[in-house]
Amino acid sequence: MSDTHDYKQIGTRPIRPDGVDKITGRANYGADYSLPGMLHGVVLRSPYAHANIKRIDLGKALALEGVYAAVSGADFPDVAAGGMGGEGGGDFKDLASNIMARDKALYHGHAVAAVAATSRELAIEALDLIEVDYEVLTPVMNLDAAMAENAPLLNDKIYTMGVNPKPEQPSNVAARMEFKRGDIDAGFADAEVIVEGEFRTPTVHQGYIEPHACLATMNQGGQATLWCSTQGHFEVRTAVSKTLDMDVCDIKVIATEIGGGFGGKTVIYQEPVAILMSKISGRPVKMVMDREEVFRASGPASATLSKIKLGAKKDGTLTAMSCWMAYEAGAFPGSSMAPGAMCIFAPYKTDNFLIEGFDVVVNKPKVAAYRAPGAPQSMYACESLMDELAYKLEMDPIDLRLKNAVEKGDQAAYGPKFNEVGLRECLIAAKEHPNYSRELTETQGRGISVGFWFNAGMQSSAEVHINENGTVMVIEGNPDIGGSRASMALMAAETLGVPYEKVRVLVGDTETAGFTNVTGGSRTTFATGMAVIQASQDIISQAKQRAAKTWEIDEDQVDWQDGHAVPMPGVNADWEPLSLAKIAAKSGRTGGPLLGRASLNARGAGPGFSVNIAEVDVDPETGKTEVVGFTAIQDAGKAIHPAYVEGQLQGGAVQGIGWALNEEYVYDDKGVMQNPGFLDYRIPVASDLPKIDTVIIEVPNKAHPYGVRGVGETPIVAPLAAVANAVRSAIGIRVGELPLSPPRLLAAMDE
Amino acid sequence: MAKVFFPDHLMSYCKREREVEVQASTYRELVRKLGARYPGIEEVLLEDVAVAIDGEICHEPYMEKIATDSEVYFLHRLAAG
Amino acid sequence: MSKIHVVTRVNDEKVEFLCEPQETLLDVLRNKLNLTGTKEGCATGDCGACSVTLDGRLVCSCLTLAAETKGKSVGTIEGVADGDTLHPVQQKLLEHAALQCGVCTPGYVIAIKALLEKNPDPSESEIRYWLAGNLCRCTGYDKIITAVQDLAGQSDKFKEVV
């Protein structure tokens, strides 16, 4: 199926509205704001991965000249337990304890106190004067240790949820979930071929280039203003309100330009600390993490273990799929295990499956969402094993997937039946792509993988203002993390019939824009785009009313064509069409300024499927893997700005390649991360990579006026297994643990 | 009658029935009727789950329309990245 | 410790400041001269977001002491455009949608300009190795490389070396 609409502006590649500011250094990011009299806040972090905090004395730090505030957990209000919404979103009480430890430090780098002083250097000097007595405990650093019998407990109030009856003993397993359908035993009994495997993925970081940064000021009336780099300033407002027990209306949050987030800036770390220290000092307080703090105390994504088993007929038809999966949540419950479990078998028609998932606390930083949270890890396991199944069946891996691929009307493993989805189209495009059939050398290998993410809807607001010359101002509430101003402007321009160049987009703060959920979940172009389109339609309906008044005819006698009000066919044909500019110029006498608005809770997000082809060359001498070709194919529904859609596919591919080949947190036996910098936590660099070829498939999502599905998250899901399968093809051995680093591959090849 | 499907995590509420038929024209009405049948489920269905009605996922369902032949699935609410 | 008096040139203008001996050029640019277009991504010379030129040579301003710039000439992102005309590197990066979040972009502009002034017709491989010190987490580098390739071979645009 292809999109037959004839759009004038959607699908073109204009320069983004915020481009000039960002290319000239004018755009202001989180750390770029300053205020007169501003103090610099820094955090004292736990030197132990697991310790009881017996005593904190801030006295000497406070006595230092130039120090205006020092705080520890005791200075923050008690926060009631309560969900932050969203599976894996966690709990506000835990969020508060993550922001500033109360009785216990749960990871190396956990914030235990903070100081604000006239300079950053002075504040750091003051940290040395804070006295903390710790009772050091044994750190629990991985799934095996955390789930072992008699494991040391992080929190003796955690009893495994989802087990009936409630367990008698507390545990590090915070939750167990089960998803199943059909008869798993009968399904495996029915199978002619069975494959099994264990797959591990390491702790990885989102790796945004801009560290967390904020600037807060609170006045004597208790009203706070906060500038911060975030994916969602309305959620920041809620979180600050909960953790500081403040009224939402006393918190104004201004989202600065954001230097990457990938899910890691949907949560907060320093913001309440800065506000509290501003309240205490009566001065603005700026807090900026350094890179080491970003690694040690923000993000990361869960390390996982998946034990998976697939059964199939000789023709490739899947008869049974099962998976036992455990996700590290970090210091507090709430990993992305549930979406991982819901995604793992989503691409395939499957009558019999069983998924058992565990959410496990360990002494590492609390995990944060990372692009399609949970899906890359689980689908790496499934797609690796699908590859083994293809070997065993001596079947082409794409044919195996085509045999089982879901399409409209099939019931997803996570519940509902699919509407139109583009998995088959992606698989066929992969099969036909020249990169799938080109010759490889002896040390090279090719792998493919399917990727999937639900995509999200949720709440958005938008206003469209028409200036007196007919130009357009869009006000919306999603921080622009990858070109969303351009897609909003394109959708407004297309709907209104005005040139893209005449549309400006403002990302409003919490007092300017209507409530809007985070830039995340691949929801911005879909849901906020829908609000912008509806607000533009509101303008059209008002413009038609104004034209009717001007022409002294009934409103239903006015049509809207190409950015102009025109009389309906058969109505007094002498009237010249009225452009938006003409209507706006005289809006004072037809009822005042033109202001369109819309707010909605978008339903009908269109699931996004992808297929990736990876080609690698593994050096038999060193075990180093070079990616020599990579092809990302994805169903976007409709690409509003194709260049930025390609950019999402390419960027996600490279993050996934890093996850597959290089990236991991390395810990010592005391639970201290050994590689908290970009030199040793090596994200891919330009010279590591080939061109990333892209193919955008467009199977429109009928729930969106222009067919949008959302594209940001799916791209990171498939690369892990695509690369792993390519390595398997190159060396003939399956290594079921990421990253596929040179020493690990060399060891496997030497065996 | 709309078909309603319960996932595993709601089994403790719905007397382990996997699939039931309910006559309702909105999500609220559906929840009210399910609440009468399964005490305690009403709050969970209004506060804790997302729903897919005929394949369209809604994060915070309340007043969505349900057709006589609709298929309704409950899901975990998801975090966004 | 007493502060050091530094007279230098930044973007072809005479600039004077006092700094601590250990203070980096990056901190002085951002905090004393209000030139916040140069970004800090790591402060350890690994990410390239703080790239500037020192007497025409590409350096990480986080690894350069402010005092070292005495009597030299510093080029930052704020000085790249010619009045109200974007530099060709800036224009091409925009046309190719070679930025997403944009925080690494000022560093790329400086690094690419320095490359093309040194080697106006680089191969893809030369571009990739030159830019290996500039991290971008959003784009996968593809569109950045394409934009530079689009500029390669146009030596007339890159004659003037600062």
Side-chain angles (χ1 to χ4, degrees):
Chain A
M1 203 167 81
S2 68
D3 189 355
T4 53
H5 289 281
D6 184 19
Y7 296 119
K8 290 200 165 68
Q9 304 193 69
I10 282 175
T12 62
R13 301 170 176 238
I15 287 174
R16 59 196 283 173
D18 51 338
V20 174
D21 276 350
K22 286 184 174 162
I23 205 85
T24 54
R26 276 186 172 80
N28 289 313
Y29 292 76
D32 296 340
Y33 289 84
S34 294
L35 284 172
M38 179 177 84
L39 304 175
H40 297 264
V42 294
V43 170
L44 180 70
R45 298 185 179 279
S46 170
Y48 305 109
H50 196 188
N52 287 320
I53 299 170
K54 309 300 275 183
R55 184 186 70 99
I56 300 182
D57 188 343
L58 304 169
K60 286 178 187 157
L62 275 167
L64 190 68
E65 174 92 39
V67 170
Y68 285 81
V71 296
S72 68
D75 297 295
F76 288 79
D78 282 332
V79 176
M84 286 154 69
E87 202 59 48
D91 177 284
F92 283 117
K93 189 178 175 61
D94 289 342
L95 176 72
S97 303
N98 191 37
I99 287 166
M100 194 58 72
R102 302 313 209 251
D103 308 327
K104 215 174 177 193
L106 288 167
Y107 53 93
H108 177 262
H110 196 165
V112 296
V115 168
T118 48
S119 75
R120 190 175 164 88
E121 293 66 34
L122 187 65
I124 290 168
E125 199 182 320
L127 290 185
D128 284 344
L129 302 174
I130 297 175
E131 295 168 6
V132 189
D133 292 345
Y134 295 97
E135 178 194 0
V136 181
L137 305 169
T138 308
V140 180
M141 294 311 297
N142 56 51
L143 290 165
D144 302 321
M147 297 177 87
E149 260 185 69
N150 300 321
L153 294 177
L154 271 76
N155 181 346
D156 60 13
K157 299 206 172 44
I158 293 178
Y159 288 80
T160 310
M161 279 175 34
V163 176
N164 221 347
K166 186 184 165 181
E168 284 172 10
Q169 299 296 324
S171 154
N172 290 322
V173 180
R176 176 190 178 275
M177 276 187 192
E178 193 177 288
F179 300 85
K180 63 172 183 284
R181 189 190 302 154
D183 185 334
I184 190 73
D185 295 330
F188 280 117
D190 204 22
E192 292 166 326
V193 178
I194 290 176
V195 285
E196 287 182 77
E198 260 191 45
F199 298 91
R200 283 179 191 267
T201 66
T203 301
V204 295
H205 198 274
Q206 293 80 350
Y208 30 82
I209 303 300
E210 180 205 26
H212 296 267
C214 69
L215 169 61
T217 181
M218 190 184 228
N219 70 14
Q220 286 79 354
Q223 296 156 322
T225 304
L226 176 69
W227 289 258
C228 66
S229 172
T230 174
Q231 290 174 242
H233 39 308
F234 290 91
E235 277 92 346
V236 169
R237 186 177 64 174
T238 306
V240 167
S241 149
K242 296 280 187 190
T243 50
L244 289 180
D245 194 18
M246 286 174 68
D247 194 326
V248 163
C249 70
D250 284 332
I251 308 160
K252 173 179 181 172
V253 186
I254 300 155
T256 67
E257 294 303 332
I258 173 170
F262 313 108
K265 288 179 184 161
T266 59
V267 286
I268 59 169
Y269 299 97
Q270 310 173 108
E271 288 77 359
V273 185
I275 292 176
L276 181 60
M277 293 201 294
S278 176
K279 181 183 180 179
I280 292 167
S281 65
R283 302 226 214 165
V285 175
K286 179 170 176 171
M287 296 184 76
V288 183
M289 282 193 195
D290 64 25
R291 179 55 54 183
E292 189 175 330
E293 290 178 287
V294 171
F295 275 114
R296 293 199 193 284
S298 79
S302 299
T304 65
L305 169 60
S306 303
K307 300 174 190 174
I308 178 168
K309 185 174 167 185
L310 304 176
K313 292 286 193 190
K314 280 187 178 144
D315 70 354
T317 307
L318 291 164
T319 60
M321 310 178 87
S322 74
C323 188
W324 179 103
M325 55 171 76
Y327 278 54
E328 287 181 6
F332 299 94
S335 68
S336 45
M337 173 269 288
M342 290 162 75
C343 285
I344 181 168
F345 299 143
Y348 304 115
K349 297 176 193 176
T350 173
D351 293 328
N352 307 300
F353 68 85
L354 171 65
I355 303 161
E356 197 184 5
F358 298 88
D359 182 47
V360 184
V361 293
V362 294
N363 290 117
K364 293 182 184 177
K366 165 73 172 76
V367 299
Y370 181 18
R371 214 168 180 172
Q377 298 100 317
S378 67
M379 293 191 75
Y380 153 67
C382 181
E383 289 297 302
S384 296
L385 201 58
M386 282 293 282
D387 201 53
E388 286 305 313
L389 182 60
Y391 279 111
K392 207 156 180 180
L393 292 167
E394 295 181 351
M395 217 174 150
D396 176 274
I398 294 183
D399 289 342
L400 172 63
R401 287 164 173 89
L402 274 169
K403 183 92 194 165
N404 296 286
V406 289
E407 53 198 327
K408 185 181 178 178
D410 288 328
Q411 189 179 6
Y414 60 87
K417 286 183 180 164
F418 286 112
N419 289 332
E420 288 78 6
V421 287
L423 174 56
R424 299 191 78 83
E425 287 80 351
C426 289
L427 285 164
I428 291 164
K431 187 128 200 228
E432 290 171 352
H433 201 285
N435 293 357
Y436 191 62
S437 49
R438 65 183 166 193
E439 286 283 312
L440 298 176
T441 69
E442 202 159 297
T443 53
Q444 292 181 342
R446 179 181 291 117
I448 72 126
S449 172
V450 168
F452 169 77
W453 183 250
F454 312 89
N455 295 329
M458 311 206 290
Q459 299 184 80
S460 285
S461 310
E463 284 182 16
V464 173
H465 298 239
I466 308 300
N467 301 322
E468 67 267 32
N469 65 348
T471 55
V472 180
M473 187 72 225
V474 175
I475 302 176
E476 44 99 2
N478 275 122
D480 183 348
I481 207 162
S484 58
R485 285 183 184 92
S487 63
M488 298 304 149
L490 277 168
M491 286 185 274
E494 182 79 38
T495 309
L496 292 165
V498 301
Y500 167 85
E501 293 72 24
K502 300 297 178 190
V503 183
R504 297 289 179 273
V505 182
L506 171 74
V507 178
D509 59 51
T510 53
E511 293 184 351
T512 314
F515 183 92
T516 298
N517 281 122
V518 286
T519 298
S522 305
R523 61 174 296 280
T524 303
T525 310
F526 170 68
T528 304
M530 209 188 273
V532 168
I533 293 164
Q534 286 184 13
S536 301
Q537 288 163 341
D538 186 14
I539 287 290
I540 292 172
S541 126
Q542 292 177 38
K544 283 158 68 178
Q545 288 170 12
R546 306 302 179 89
K549 284 181 186 168
T550 309
W551 294 334
E552 297 180 295
I553 58 177
D554 288 338
E555 203 183 310
D556 59 10
Q557 294 180 301
V558 182
D559 198 5
W560 186 261
Q561 282 174 10
D562 235 0
H564 293 74
V566 294
M568 284 284 196
V571 181
N572 191 345
D574 290 344
W575 294 114
E576 286 289 315
L578 277 178
S579 66
L580 202 51
K582 280 186 178 158
I583 295 168
K586 300 293 181 194
S587 65
R589 54 192 198 194
T590 54
L594 292 168
L595 192 169
R597 51 194 193 124
S599 64
L600 49 80
N601 188 352
R603 55 181 279 184
F609 282 100
S610 69
V611 175
N612 287 180
I613 308 167
E615 293 153 278
V616 303
D617 197 328
V618 183
D619 185 334
E621 300 291 314
T622 63
K624 182 179 184 293
T625 301
E626 193 188 345
V627 179
V628 294
F630 201 93
T631 314
I633 302 163
Q634 188 177 321
D635 175 18
K638 176 70 197 170
I640 299 297
H641 191 305
Y644 285 106
V645 173
E646 290 161 5
Q648 290 294 323
L649 270 53
Q650 292 163 333
V654 169
Q655 280 185 318
I657 290 169
W659 203 332
L661 293 177
N662 307 334
E663 298 179 31
E664 66 178 320
Y665 273 42
V666 178
Y667 283 96
D668 70 7
D669 58 2
K670 292 195 172 63
V672 180
M673 186 192 182
Q674 298 296 292
N675 56 338
F678 280 134
L679 188 63
D680 299 314
Y681 182 96
R682 195 170 183 286
I683 72 172
V685 304
S687 55
D688 293 339
L689 296 160
K691 287 267 176 203
I692 310 292
D693 295 319
T694 58
V695 180
I696 301 172
I697 303 289
E698 295 186 325
V699 176
N701 172 18
K702 286 186 178 156
H704 186 276
Y706 297 129
V708 167
R709 287 182 188 275
V711 293
E713 290 172 294
T714 300
I716 200 175
V717 181
L720 284 65
V723 170
N725 294 342
V727 169
R728 158 73 171 85
S729 145
I731 67 173
I733 306 164
R734 173 71 58 185
V735 178
E737 183 168 8
L738 300 183
L740 299 172
S741 55
R744 184 167 282 148
L745 289 188
L746 210 52
M749 288 189 284
D750 283 349
E751 255 176 38
Chain B
M1 300 264 262
K3 278 189 184 157
V4 178
F5 301 86
F6 292 108
D8 290 298
H9 74 278
L10 295 180
M11 280 296 137
S12 57
Y13 294 97
C14 62
K15 304 174 185 167
R16 308 206 75 78
E17 291 182 71
R18 290 229 156 243
E19 183 181 331
V20 294
E21 296 204 335
V22 182
Q23 183 72 51
S25 59
T26 65
Y27 185 77
R28 253 177 111 183
E29 189 185 348
L30 179 95
V31 169
R32 210 177 292 131
K33 289 189 169 169
L34 289 173
R37 207 183 291 186
Y38 310 118
I41 204 171
E42 206 167 334
E43 197 191 335
V44 178
L45 297 186
L46 284 177
E47 303 298 333
D48 293 342
V49 301
V51 70
I53 301 167
D54 301 324
E56 284 196 1
I57 294 178
C58 181
H59 187 74
E60 200 180 344
Y62 190 62
M63 51 183 213
E64 279 63 28
K65 288 200 169 48
I66 310 255
T68 50
D69 60 344
S70 279
E71 294 184 346
V72 179
Y73 292 87
F74 303 106
L75 312 169
H76 290 278
R77 286 188 187 171
L78 294 170
Chain C
M1 219 177 292
S2 65
K3 293 197 172 184
I4 300 171
H5 178 223
V6 177
V7 181
T8 182
R9 294 190 76 77
V10 176
N11 299 330
D12 251 356
E13 283 176 26
K14 185 184 161 190
V15 166
E16 275 187 78
F17 55 83
L18 291 174
C19 67
E20 304 287 345
Q22 75 279 13
E23 209 165 345
T24 66
L25 174 59
L26 174 62
D27 284 342
V28 165
L29 287 172
R30 290 182 54 82
N31 304 333
K32 293 210 161 92
L33 304 178
N34 295 319
L35 294 170
T36 56
T38 304
K39 306 299 179 190
E40 177 177 321
C42 67
T44 48
D46 300 318
C47 81
C50 68
S51 297
V52 298
T53 54
L54 191 60
D55 281 349
R57 185 159 175 255
L58 181 64
V59 297
C60 285
S61 60
C62 72
L63 298 183
T64 307
L65 291 174
E68 287 180 72
T69 67
K70 211 180 243 189
K72 294 188 176 169
S73 176
V74 178
T76 75
I77 183 66
E78 286 88 352
V80 172
D82 179 11
D84 58 3
T85 307
L86 292 179
H87 188 277
V89 169
Q90 294 174 311
Q91 187 63 34
K92 275 288 177 248
L93 288 171
L94 283 184
E95 285 170 11
H96 283 273
L99 57 148
Q100 285 178 32
C101 81
V103 81
C104 67
T105 305
Y108 271 99
V109 171
I110 297 289
I112 294 166
K113 184 168 167 279
L115 165 65
L116 294 171
E117 282 167 2
K118 201 178 158 76
N119 175 3
D121 196 15
S123 65
E124 180 182 340
S125 181
E126 285 171 324
I127 298 168
R128 286 185 181 275
Y129 277 91
W130 182 273
L131 295 178
N134 290 75
L135 300 182
C136 170
R137 191 63 157 170
C138 297
T139 63
Y141 304 103
D142 196 281
K143 292 187 186 302
I144 298 170
I145 305 300
T146 308
V148 183
Q149 286 179 304
D150 200 5
L151 286 161
Q154 303 175 39
S155 55
D156 53 315
K157 285 182 179 162
F158 300 100
K159 272 177 201 154
E160 77 290 13
V161 176
V162 181

